Amino acid sequence: MNLKTLISKLILLLFILIFVMSFSALFGNDNILIGVAIVTGILMFWNMDIGIRKAEAPLLIAAVFVSIGAFSYIAGLNPVLGFIVHLVSIFVIMLLFSEKVEYKAFLPFMLCYVFAQGIPVADVALRSRLYGLLIGGTLTGIVYYYRHRKTDNHPYPRIWNIIRHVDVHSVRFDYAVKMAAGVSTGMLIGDLFQAQRGMWISLTILSILQPHLTHSKERLKHRLTGTIIGAAVFMILFVMLPSQFSVMITLLLSYMYMFVVEYRIQMIFVTVQALNASLVLFDYPVSIGMRLSFIVIGACIAVLISKYDLKDLRAKLIN
């Protein structure tokens, strides 16, 4: 930790805040979390090579972001139709952006998908959302191309070949299937019960579900522990302390989060910020109860799906 790092993290936080607030001002408050997903993609792809030909990657990035807006809207018309749309859409996203699974290049798109589904927009506001996704996706693609345009392009497959030549016996394929099934199930539960913060279930599944069961179990433990501790910290900072300190505390927590690397500590900060944001809709006892309940539901789904061995299913289908 040095002065240069402190200043660079502060500048990064200011960039994120300005970007998200500007995105919300341009495209509506319903799209503020879409802005969060877009800026996440910009920052991740600045430092990450996703393994797709440089001429095709920007077009793919922009197209997927716009498609997320369209498909999440179609899925919102009917829960059963929505479940099918979610399954296919998430599966394709996972396949396209998990050439290197450990890099998690799919994360910005999955966050965007969950946010778009969790905060649906009416017909009138759909145009603004699609415009926002088009502009944000195009900007992300341009940033990616500019940053990686000089890297070696030879070993990278074309987009169509990524789908055509995927190995159905690979960890990547199994992970895509499990993520599609898990997140879609979480969304279906939220839709059927018309839960205001149903996306907390899907976000929990997205966070916990890993390619290997041992990693999923480890994340489950940290997610639950972090949620409980975060709820206690939230009570101290936003309930017991005077409300005039809330904005300052929120900004300070956001800055501190920039330095957190460990998942178990991140979950404390995420819980505090999520509960604080939910105060717009609910009193704090309701928010805490919903948060804990939805995370438990999502965690159960994630672990159950992670336990399932797709090799047995493939063997049964072949036989």
Side-chain angles (χ1 to χ4, degrees):
M1 190 71 67
N2 52 51
L3 182 60
K4 182 180 179 181
T5 303
L6 292 171
I7 294 175
S8 65
K9 294 291 186 181
L10 179 59
I11 293 172
L12 179 59
L13 176 61
L14 290 174
F15 167 74
I16 293 171
L17 291 174
I18 291 170
F19 184 94
V20 172
M21 292 301 104
S22 300
F23 195 91
S24 176
L26 286 171
F27 304 109
N29 195 51
D30 286 340
N31 295 310
I32 188 168
L33 291 181
I34 301 295
V36 171
I38 294 290
V39 77
T40 299
I42 290 172
L43 296 175
M44 282 185 65
F45 294 158
W46 178 259
N47 296 309
M48 179 191 299
D49 190 328
I50 61 177
I52 297 174
R53 289 179 183 264
K54 301 304 175 296
E56 297 179 357
L59 298 175
L60 178 64
I61 290 170
V64 170
F65 272 121
V66 174
S67 298
I68 286 170
F71 288 134
S72 62
Y73 174 79
I74 294 170
L77 300 176
N78 178 275
V80 177
L81 171 65
F83 181 74
I84 297 170
V85 171
H86 295 327
L87 272 176
V88 176
S89 301
I90 293 171
F91 177 74
V92 172
I93 289 171
M94 291 296 299
L95 278 187
L96 287 173
F97 296 99
S98 59
E99 178 73 19
K100 302 174 181 177
V101 177
E102 66 277 10
Y103 286 7
K104 297 187 177 180
F106 55 82
L107 186 58
F109 304 102
M110 289 300 300
L111 283 176
C112 186
Y113 201 103
V114 173
F115 292 153
Q117 187 273 340
I119 306 177
V121 291
D123 295 352
V124 178
L126 178 61
R127 182 177 298 180
S128 293
R129 172 162 290 182
L130 293 177
Y131 281 149
L133 287 165
L134 176 60
I135 293 172
T138 302
L139 177 60
T140 306
I142 291 171
V143 168
Y144 177 82
Y145 180 81
Y146 173 80
R147 177 65 169 174
H148 302 285
R149 67 192 187 282
K150 295 180 181 179
T151 57
D152 184 13
N153 204 25
H154 177 69
Y156 297 148
R158 295 187 177 277
I159 295 170
W160 177 241
N161 289 334
I162 293 175
I163 300 294
R164 284 182 59 195
H165 297 141
V166 66
D167 182 3
V168 297
H169 300 286
S170 64
V171 172
R172 174 187 178 188
F173 182 87
D174 287 358
Y175 190 37
V177 171
K178 289 181 178 182
M179 188 66 81
V183 175
S184 298
T185 301
M187 290 177 172
L188 178 62
I189 293 172
D191 286 342
L192 290 176
F193 289 95
Q194 298 182 344
Q196 285 275 9
R197 283 291 184 264
M199 67 180 175
W200 284 349
I201 301 174
S202 304
L203 287 171
T204 300
I205 297 167
L206 175 62
S207 175
I208 291 177
L209 190 58
Q210 300 297 304
H212 303 287
L213 178 59
T214 52
H215 297 157
S216 296
K217 287 182 176 180
E218 184 179 356
R219 287 218 161 198
L220 167 65
K221 178 179 67 176
H222 294 324
R223 183 82 177 187
L224 294 177
T225 304
T227 299
I228 294 170
I229 297 173
V233 173
F234 165 77
M235 288 289 294
I236 296 171
L237 296 180
F238 291 97
V239 177
M240 296 183 180
L241 292 180
S243 59
Q244 58 263 36
F245 295 113
S246 296
V247 175
M248 183 178 66
I249 292 171
T250 300
L251 291 174
L252 180 60
L253 288 174
S254 299
Y255 182 59
M256 292 170 63
Y257 183 76
M258 306 290 291
F259 298 90
V260 178
V261 177
E262 291 186 57
Y263 178 77
R264 59 191 180 90
I265 307 299
Q266 288 177 341
M267 288 306 99
I268 297 173
F269 282 84
V270 169
T271 299
V272 174
Q273 298 287 41
L275 289 173
N276 182 40
S278 69
L279 289 178
V280 177
L281 297 174
F282 311 106
D283 293 334
Y284 69 87
V286 176
S287 295
I288 293 174
M290 286 179 59
R291 180 79 180 179
L292 290 171
S293 301
F294 288 165
I295 283 179
V296 168
I297 293 171
C300 290
I301 294 171
V303 172
L304 286 173
I305 289 178
S306 185
K307 279 185 174 182
Y308 194 82
D309 190 351
L310 292 181
K311 293 179 182 178
D312 293 339
L313 179 59
R314 279 194 291 265
K316 290 177 182 177
L317 291 175
I318 293 173
N319 296 329

